[in-house]
Amino acid sequence: MLKLYYAKGTAALAVHITLNELGADFEAIEVNVRADEQRSAEYLAINPKGRVPTLITDSGGLTETPAILVYLIQIYPQQNLARIDDPFMFARIQSLNSYFCSTVHVTHAHKTRGTRWTNDPTALATLQASVTDNMTDCFRLIEEELIKGPWALGDHYTIADPYLFTVTRWAINDDVNIDQFPTVARHYAMMNERPAVQATMLLHR
């Protein structure tokens, strides 16, 4: 059985939703980041990075959301959550998810985890003050250039969709008005109607 280590408010949400979409047999184990459980010796033995998500498989542990999502759609290919038979379309999914991971996630993290980059109070305040504007810029690019609608990459639901849903939740919490981005706003509403999302959110509120 797969084991997912997750924390509320993190990118683990995208993996958790995907596991439910796939109908996977898995156990979800919450890591209490407010209590710094991710830095405990027990958790560091599971994931030395001290981050979530971590997915434990029969072959070992996996970290990093884009990698875990790709693993899942390869062990559940019958669910067709990615065009793994089409190299270009599969690369587009990877490109979009990589942007969420490397740019949007980092921008969002400046709000509450700025000490990863600086301990200077003035610099921290500057990082935090810029989050809303910078996240708005990220979502303007997402809206105008990166997603297609109604789903992230067109008519077919893929592993990019739970990730887009996750970063959209962050944007809303960062005071970004997503109503100015109609494709993103419609996507967010559609995701909230999916049974897998509703079931997952019971553990992520």
mmCIF file of all heavy atoms in Angstrom, residues 75-96:
data_model
loop_
_atom_site.group_PDB
_atom_site.id
_atom_site.type_symbol
_atom_site.label_atom_id
_atom_site.label_comp_id
_atom_site.label_asym_id
_atom_site.label_seq_id
_atom_site.Cartn_x
_atom_site.Cartn_y
_atom_site.Cartn_z
ATOM 1 N N ILE A 75 1.875 4.315 -12.806
ATOM 2 C CA ILE A 75 1.434 3.057 -12.194
ATOM 3 C C ILE A 75 -0.085 2.878 -12.301
ATOM 4 O O ILE A 75 -0.592 1.787 -12.042
ATOM 5 C CB ILE A 75 1.894 2.919 -10.728
ATOM 6 C CG1 ILE A 75 1.279 3.989 -9.839
ATOM 7 C CG2 ILE A 75 3.412 2.929 -10.636
ATOM 8 C CD1 ILE A 75 1.532 3.754 -8.355
ATOM 9 N N TYR A 76 -0.779 3.946 -12.689
ATOM 10 C CA TYR A 76 -2.217 3.863 -12.951
ATOM 11 C C TYR A 76 -2.511 4.403 -14.350
ATOM 12 O O TYR A 76 -3.304 5.341 -14.511
ATOM 13 C CB TYR A 76 -3.006 4.661 -11.914
ATOM 14 C CG TYR A 76 -3.040 4.043 -10.541
ATOM 15 C CD1 TYR A 76 -2.128 4.431 -9.563
ATOM 16 C CD2 TYR A 76 -3.986 3.074 -10.207
ATOM 17 C CE1 TYR A 76 -2.152 3.860 -8.298
ATOM 18 C CE2 TYR A 76 -4.027 2.508 -8.940
ATOM 19 C CZ TYR A 76 -3.098 2.905 -7.989
ATOM 20 O OH TYR A 76 -3.135 2.340 -6.734
ATOM 21 N N PRO A 77 -1.914 3.831 -15.384
ATOM 22 C CA PRO A 77 -2.090 4.398 -16.731
ATOM 23 C C PRO A 77 -3.524 4.293 -17.240
ATOM 24 O O PRO A 77 -3.932 5.087 -18.089
ATOM 25 C CB PRO A 77 -1.141 3.543 -17.585
ATOM 26 C CG PRO A 77 -1.043 2.244 -16.836
ATOM 27 C CD PRO A 77 -1.088 2.618 -15.394
ATOM 28 N N GLN A 78 -4.289 3.340 -16.714
ATOM 29 C CA GLN A 78 -5.658 3.146 -17.199
ATOM 30 C C GLN A 78 -6.560 4.328 -16.893
ATOM 31 O O GLN A 78 -7.601 4.520 -17.542
ATOM 32 C CB GLN A 78 -6.254 1.866 -16.592
ATOM 33 C CG GLN A 78 -6.506 1.907 -15.096
ATOM 34 C CD GLN A 78 -5.279 1.565 -14.257
ATOM 35 O OE1 GLN A 78 -4.152 1.549 -14.765
ATOM 36 N NE2 GLN A 78 -5.496 1.287 -12.972
ATOM 37 N N GLN A 79 -6.171 5.153 -15.934
ATOM 38 C CA GLN A 79 -6.982 6.323 -15.590
ATOM 39 C C GLN A 79 -6.747 7.499 -16.548
ATOM 40 O O GLN A 79 -7.494 8.476 -16.521
ATOM 41 C CB GLN A 79 -6.701 6.765 -14.146
ATOM 42 C CG GLN A 79 -6.988 5.690 -13.117
ATOM 43 C CD GLN A 79 -8.445 5.291 -13.069
ATOM 44 O OE1 GLN A 79 -9.309 6.016 -13.542
ATOM 45 N NE2 GLN A 79 -8.732 4.133 -12.500
ATOM 46 N N ASN A 80 -5.676 7.428 -17.323
ATOM 47 C CA ASN A 80 -5.437 8.397 -18.407
ATOM 48 C C ASN A 80 -5.409 9.848 -17.911
ATOM 49 O O ASN A 80 -6.058 10.725 -18.467
ATOM 50 C CB ASN A 80 -6.509 8.231 -19.497
ATOM 51 C CG ASN A 80 -6.115 8.910 -20.802
ATOM 52 O OD1 ASN A 80 -4.930 9.071 -21.098
ATOM 53 N ND2 ASN A 80 -7.104 9.317 -21.578
ATOM 54 N N LEU A 81 -4.616 10.086 -16.854
ATOM 55 C CA LEU A 81 -4.482 11.456 -16.337
ATOM 56 C C LEU A 81 -3.293 12.192 -16.938
ATOM 57 O O LEU A 81 -2.920 13.255 -16.452
ATOM 58 C CB LEU A 81 -4.373 11.438 -14.810
ATOM 59 C CG LEU A 81 -5.608 10.983 -14.047
ATOM 60 C CD1 LEU A 81 -5.449 11.267 -12.567
ATOM 61 C CD2 LEU A 81 -6.870 11.655 -14.575
ATOM 62 N N ALA A 82 -2.708 11.642 -17.966
ATOM 63 C CA ALA A 82 -1.645 12.328 -18.714
ATOM 64 C C ALA A 82 -1.467 11.623 -20.046
ATOM 65 O O ALA A 82 -1.646 10.399 -20.132
ATOM 66 C CB ALA A 82 -0.337 12.340 -17.941
ATOM 67 N N ARG A 83 -1.084 12.377 -21.061
ATOM 68 C CA ARG A 83 -0.863 11.797 -22.387
ATOM 69 C C ARG A 83 0.556 11.253 -22.466
ATOM 70 O O ARG A 83 1.423 11.804 -23.151
ATOM 71 C CB ARG A 83 -1.109 12.859 -23.449
ATOM 72 C CG ARG A 83 -2.550 13.318 -23.564
ATOM 73 C CD ARG A 83 -3.415 12.254 -24.222
ATOM 74 N NE ARG A 83 -2.893 11.908 -25.531
ATOM 75 C CZ ARG A 83 -3.139 12.613 -26.626
ATOM 76 N NH1 ARG A 83 -3.909 13.692 -26.569
ATOM 77 N NH2 ARG A 83 -2.635 12.239 -27.789
ATOM 78 N N ILE A 84 0.797 10.143 -21.763
ATOM 79 C CA ILE A 84 2.155 9.600 -21.759
ATOM 80 C C ILE A 84 2.525 8.974 -23.096
ATOM 81 O O ILE A 84 3.695 8.692 -23.357
ATOM 82 C CB ILE A 84 2.356 8.587 -20.615
ATOM 83 C CG1 ILE A 84 1.333 7.443 -20.701
ATOM 84 C CG2 ILE A 84 2.255 9.280 -19.258
ATOM 85 C CD1 ILE A 84 1.519 6.399 -19.619
ATOM 86 N N ASP A 85 1.526 8.785 -23.952
ATOM 87 C CA ASP A 85 1.787 8.244 -25.286
ATOM 88 C C ASP A 85 2.133 9.341 -26.289
ATOM 89 O O ASP A 85 2.512 9.054 -27.424
ATOM 90 C CB ASP A 85 0.575 7.469 -25.791
ATOM 91 C CG ASP A 85 -0.676 8.340 -25.881
ATOM 92 O OD1 ASP A 85 -0.780 9.300 -25.093
ATOM 93 O OD2 ASP A 85 -1.532 8.058 -26.746
ATOM 94 N N ASP A 86 2.009 10.589 -25.868
ATOM 95 C CA ASP A 86 2.288 11.732 -26.744
ATOM 96 C C ASP A 86 3.416 12.550 -26.107
ATOM 97 O O ASP A 86 3.174 13.302 -25.158
ATOM 98 C CB ASP A 86 1.021 12.580 -26.881
ATOM 99 C CG ASP A 86 1.180 13.739 -27.861
ATOM 100 O OD1 ASP A 86 2.296 14.298 -27.955
ATOM 101 O OD2 ASP A 86 0.179 14.105 -28.506
ATOM 102 N N PRO A 87 4.649 12.406 -26.588
ATOM 103 C CA PRO A 87 5.787 13.073 -25.940
ATOM 104 C C PRO A 87 5.620 14.576 -25.789
ATOM 105 O O PRO A 87 5.990 15.142 -24.758
ATOM 106 C CB PRO A 87 6.963 12.731 -26.861
ATOM 107 C CG PRO A 87 6.579 11.445 -27.512
ATOM 108 C CD PRO A 87 5.088 11.546 -27.706
ATOM 109 N N PHE A 88 5.042 15.233 -26.791
ATOM 110 C CA PHE A 88 4.907 16.688 -26.703
ATOM 111 C C PHE A 88 3.889 17.076 -25.636
ATOM 112 O O PHE A 88 4.141 17.965 -24.809
ATOM 113 C CB PHE A 88 4.496 17.272 -28.054
ATOM 114 C CG PHE A 88 4.379 18.774 -28.037
ATOM 115 C CD1 PHE A 88 5.507 19.580 -28.064
ATOM 116 C CD2 PHE A 88 3.131 19.383 -27.970
ATOM 117 C CE1 PHE A 88 5.398 20.973 -28.023
ATOM 118 C CE2 PHE A 88 3.017 20.769 -27.933
ATOM 119 C CZ PHE A 88 4.156 21.564 -27.958
ATOM 120 N N MET A 89 2.724 16.435 -25.636
ATOM 121 C CA MET A 89 1.704 16.767 -24.648
ATOM 122 C C MET A 89 2.163 16.415 -23.235
ATOM 123 O O MET A 89 1.876 17.149 -22.285
ATOM 124 C CB MET A 89 0.396 16.048 -24.975
ATOM 125 C CG MET A 89 -0.319 16.589 -26.200
ATOM 126 S SD MET A 89 -0.697 18.377 -26.068
ATOM 127 C CE MET A 89 -1.794 18.388 -24.652
ATOM 128 N N PHE A 90 2.880 15.312 -23.098
ATOM 129 C CA PHE A 90 3.394 14.944 -21.785
ATOM 130 C C PHE A 90 4.406 15.984 -21.302
ATOM 131 O O PHE A 90 4.422 16.367 -20.127
ATOM 132 C CB PHE A 90 4.035 13.560 -21.835
ATOM 133 C CG PHE A 90 4.437 13.029 -20.492
ATOM 134 C CD1 PHE A 90 3.542 13.006 -19.437
ATOM 135 C CD2 PHE A 90 5.717 12.542 -20.283
ATOM 136 C CE1 PHE A 90 3.912 12.510 -18.192
ATOM 137 C CE2 PHE A 90 6.092 12.049 -19.049
ATOM 138 C CZ PHE A 90 5.191 12.026 -17.992
ATOM 139 N N ALA A 91 5.235 16.478 -22.220
ATOM 140 C CA ALA A 91 6.206 17.512 -21.857
ATOM 141 C C ALA A 91 5.503 18.811 -21.477
ATOM 142 O O ALA A 91 5.969 19.535 -20.586
ATOM 143 C CB ALA A 91 7.167 17.754 -23.019
ATOM 144 N N ARG A 92 4.389 19.124 -22.103
ATOM 145 C CA ARG A 92 3.635 20.335 -21.749
ATOM 146 C C ARG A 92 3.102 20.233 -20.322
ATOM 147 O O ARG A 92 3.101 21.228 -19.579
ATOM 148 C CB ARG A 92 2.490 20.554 -22.727
ATOM 149 C CG ARG A 92 2.952 21.044 -24.100
ATOM 150 C CD ARG A 92 1.795 21.588 -24.899
ATOM 151 N NE ARG A 92 1.188 22.730 -24.214
ATOM 152 C CZ ARG A 92 -0.080 23.093 -24.366
ATOM 153 N NH1 ARG A 92 -0.878 22.406 -25.159
ATOM 154 N NH2 ARG A 92 -0.549 24.137 -23.728
ATOM 155 N N ILE A 93 2.629 19.067 -19.946
ATOM 156 C CA ILE A 93 2.197 18.860 -18.566
ATOM 157 C C ILE A 93 3.361 19.083 -17.619
ATOM 158 O O ILE A 93 3.247 19.775 -16.604
ATOM 159 C CB ILE A 93 1.620 17.442 -18.382
ATOM 160 C CG1 ILE A 93 0.298 17.303 -19.127
ATOM 161 C CG2 ILE A 93 1.424 17.119 -16.899
ATOM 162 C CD1 ILE A 93 -0.239 15.891 -19.154
ATOM 163 N N GLN A 94 4.506 18.513 -17.959
ATOM 164 C CA GLN A 94 5.698 18.667 -17.132
ATOM 165 C C GLN A 94 6.136 20.122 -17.059
ATOM 166 O O GLN A 94 6.570 20.602 -15.999
ATOM 167 C CB GLN A 94 6.836 17.809 -17.696
ATOM 168 C CG GLN A 94 6.608 16.319 -17.563
ATOM 169 C CD GLN A 94 6.756 15.865 -16.121
ATOM 170 O OE1 GLN A 94 5.872 16.082 -15.301
ATOM 171 N NE2 GLN A 94 7.874 15.262 -15.798
ATOM 172 N N SER A 95 6.024 20.827 -18.159
ATOM 173 C CA SER A 95 6.409 22.237 -18.189
ATOM 174 C C SER A 95 5.529 23.062 -17.259
ATOM 175 O O SER A 95 6.025 23.896 -16.481
ATOM 176 C CB SER A 95 6.310 22.759 -19.622
ATOM 177 O OG SER A 95 6.602 24.146 -19.680
ATOM 178 N N LEU A 96 4.223 22.829 -17.322
ATOM 179 C CA LEU A 96 3.297 23.583 -16.482
ATOM 180 C C LEU A 96 3.510 23.254 -15.003
ATOM 181 O O LEU A 96 3.607 24.150 -14.157
ATOM 182 C CB LEU A 96 1.854 23.285 -16.891
ATOM 183 C CG LEU A 96 0.755 24.080 -16.178
ATOM 184 C CD1 LEU A 96 0.983 25.579 -16.306
ATOM 185 C CD2 LEU A 96 -0.614 23.686 -16.724
#
